[in-house]
Amino acid sequence: MSDAATAYQGPQRIYSGMQPSGDLHLGNYLGALINWVKLQEEWECVFCAVDLHAITVPQDPKKLASQTREITAAWLAAGVDPDKSIVYAQSSVPAHSELAWILNCTARMGWVERMTQFKDKAGKDSERASVGLFTYPVLQAADILAFKGTHVPVGEDQKQHLELSRDIADRFNRDFDAENFFPQPEPLIQGPGARVMSLKDGTKKMSKSDPSELSRINFIDDADVIAKKIKKAKSDADALPSEVEGLEGRPEARNLVGIYGALAEKTNAEVLAEFGGEGFGKFKPALAELAVEKLSPITQKMRSYMDDPAQIDAVLKKGAEKANAISEPIIKEVREIVGFWNT
Ligand code: TYM
């Protein structure tokens, strides 16, 4: 990894999170989760089910806890190892909420107003969006900084939020004369899966908020559903090119090739070396077969974890203890730096 944390002297720590709000999809897997599993082999990693973020849009209180268990089950099934990584739910660690408030007072309105994800999520009726949705990226900065996270593995859509986190860290350090107290967290946006697009429109990102189920492959889709969605994916009439340049102006072709590459751990050039000259009639079944081969074992494991919620709860409980042990002393220092009474 790079010398991202520049003059910051603390330990290098990987931090990332995912919202427990409905089905995990292929974009979450290829953009983030697959990298988490690799990173934990070498680095101290902290992974958070961000349920405080989830409630920035309405959630069913009867389902939220089970959604948190479900996302945890998906991580474990994909290979996140709770003996190597810290895995916990955001709401079980008070540091997030406390630091978020303090950083809301550090972040500037203009910075947050520039966030495109808020504009996308709030849509035309932003007056009706929750205030929490607006300050969502400040809570995200608080997540990372409450752990002094130095590197953040995410998909490309999170780049702007990570830039804001860096600005907030820098501003806090300067406002309070606390040089290098917070690191400048570096995004780790890696691999051909960093930006998985909708199966129905290669110019739109794959997203759980897309009304069309056919636009995404969900973790819990069975083999038949995966095959059907890939068969129905938008493509074009031409054969696949033999060179990467030939994907120019063909967003759907690029996306399907990128998905194949991410699943097979190959570059687009390698995929095209194999399939160049073939039409989608041949490529799509190969992609469907690969997707099923890679995802089915994870889905099966995820289901068996879900059959044992007590085991997942034990993982989250232990994770929360470890997460509190790291974040409490950091928050104590923040309180001293800010000058609160009785710190
Ligand atoms: P969430 O749950 O929306 O997304 C989780 C992860 O999946 C990635 N992702 C994608 N990657 C590639 N292609 C896609 N189509 C795609 N869709 C989603 C996201 O980039 C993300 O890595 N705001 C965060 C959650 C968060 C967080 C944090 C992340 C809260 N606090 C602190 C890092 C550090 C989010 O996007 O969640």
Side-chain angles (χ1 to χ4, degrees):
M1 275 186 299
S2 69
D3 58 345
T6 48
Y8 173 75
Q9 297 294 321
Q12 308 267 296
R13 182 175 287 139
I14 306 275
Y15 190 95
S16 198
M18 256 183 221
Q19 296 190 67
S21 47
D23 294 337
L24 209 71
H25 57 71
L26 191 63
N28 303 133
Y29 178 58
L30 296 177
L33 187 48
I34 211 168
N35 293 328
W36 294 8
V37 174
K38 287 185 195 140
L39 287 162
Q40 68 180 350
E41 296 306 323
E42 271 192 70
W43 302 95
E44 181 188 359
C45 290
V46 184
F47 300 127
C48 180
V50 294
D51 49 2
L52 299 176
H53 278 102
I55 63 161
T56 57
V57 294
Q59 300 291 334
D60 182 347
K62 293 194 195 78
K63 291 191 185 150
L64 187 55
S66 75
Q67 286 168 198
T68 298
R69 288 189 191 99
E70 196 174 302
I71 203 166
T72 309
W75 297 351
L76 302 180
V80 171
D81 179 348
D83 291 327
K84 291 186 181 142
S85 302
I86 298 177
V87 173
Y88 72 103
Q90 193 182 25
S91 59
S92 59
V93 171
H96 294 275
S97 307
E98 182 165 358
L99 187 58
W101 178 256
I102 293 168
L103 297 184
N104 269 326
C105 303
T106 298
R108 305 289 99 188
M109 283 295 286
W111 304 353
V112 184
E113 269 168 359
R114 279 196 285 278
M115 296 296 113
T116 54
Q117 191 157 312
F118 173 75
K119 291 178 197 156
D120 293 344
K121 283 197 181 170
K124 289 196 188 83
D125 209 1
S126 63
E127 297 270 303
R128 286 177 163 268
S130 72
V131 175
L133 189 66
F134 180 68
T135 83
Y136 175 117
V138 181
L139 175 59
Q140 182 163 344
D143 298 341
I144 303 164
L145 298 176
F147 288 78
K148 295 194 173 179
T150 54
H151 296 83
V152 185
V154 282
E156 206 176 278
D157 60 332
Q158 293 303 301
K159 204 167 164 201
Q160 197 187 32
H161 286 172
L162 264 292
E163 275 156 18
L164 179 74
S165 298
R166 293 166 64 83
D167 288 343
I168 291 175
D170 180 56
R171 179 73 183 245
F172 181 94
N173 290 350
R174 286 194 287 119
D175 278 357
F176 292 101
D177 261 334
E179 209 183 339
N180 294 319
F181 175 72
F182 283 134
Q184 293 261 294
E186 268 270 297
L188 292 178
I189 299 172
Q190 290 168 332
R195 190 162 177 76
V196 178
M197 309 308 277
S198 155
L199 297 180
K200 286 280 144 204
D201 178 350
T203 63
K204 258 173 52 187
K205 101 175 166 168
M206 185 177 284
S207 157
K208 54 191 138 206
S209 53
D210 192 314
S212 168
E213 269 296 316
L214 289 174
S215 69
R216 64 186 160 262
I217 292 174
N218 294 317
F219 246 51
I220 44 125
D221 288 345
D222 62 28
D224 290 345
V225 174
I226 293 176
K228 185 180 110 192
K229 287 181 175 174
I230 291 177
K231 193 166 166 217
K232 295 200 163 190
K234 189 171 171 200
S235 54
D236 55 39
D238 296 335
L240 285 172
S242 305
E243 310 283 332
V244 175
E245 295 72 44
L247 293 172
E248 209 56 50
R250 296 178 65 187
E252 283 79 23
R254 176 186 291 281
N255 188 36
L256 295 179
V257 168
I259 292 174
Y260 191 102
L263 287 168
E265 303 201 43
K266 287 184 176 165
T267 62
N268 284 359
E270 285 167 334
V271 178
L272 293 177
E274 196 179 334
F275 289 98
E278 304 285 3
F280 284 97
K282 186 129 187 222
F283 182 64
K284 280 184 173 177
L287 176 57
E289 197 183 323
L290 178 67
V292 170
E293 180 196 316
K294 295 285 177 181
L295 296 180
S296 288
I298 304 177
T299 312
Q300 272 166 23
K301 271 195 214 153
M302 181 179 161
R303 291 212 170 99
S304 68
Y305 277 116
M306 284 303 288
D307 288 341
D308 188 1
Q311 189 190 354
I312 298 176
D313 288 347
V315 166
L316 290 172
K317 194 159 175 259
K318 200 164 145 209
E321 281 163 17
K322 290 189 204 163
N324 276 314
I326 296 177
S327 58
E328 272 167 13
I330 294 173
I331 295 301
K332 187 168 183 292
E333 257 189 287
V334 170
R335 291 169 144 267
E336 280 161 14
I337 289 169
V338 173
F340 286 142
W341 171 80
N342 196 18
T343 54

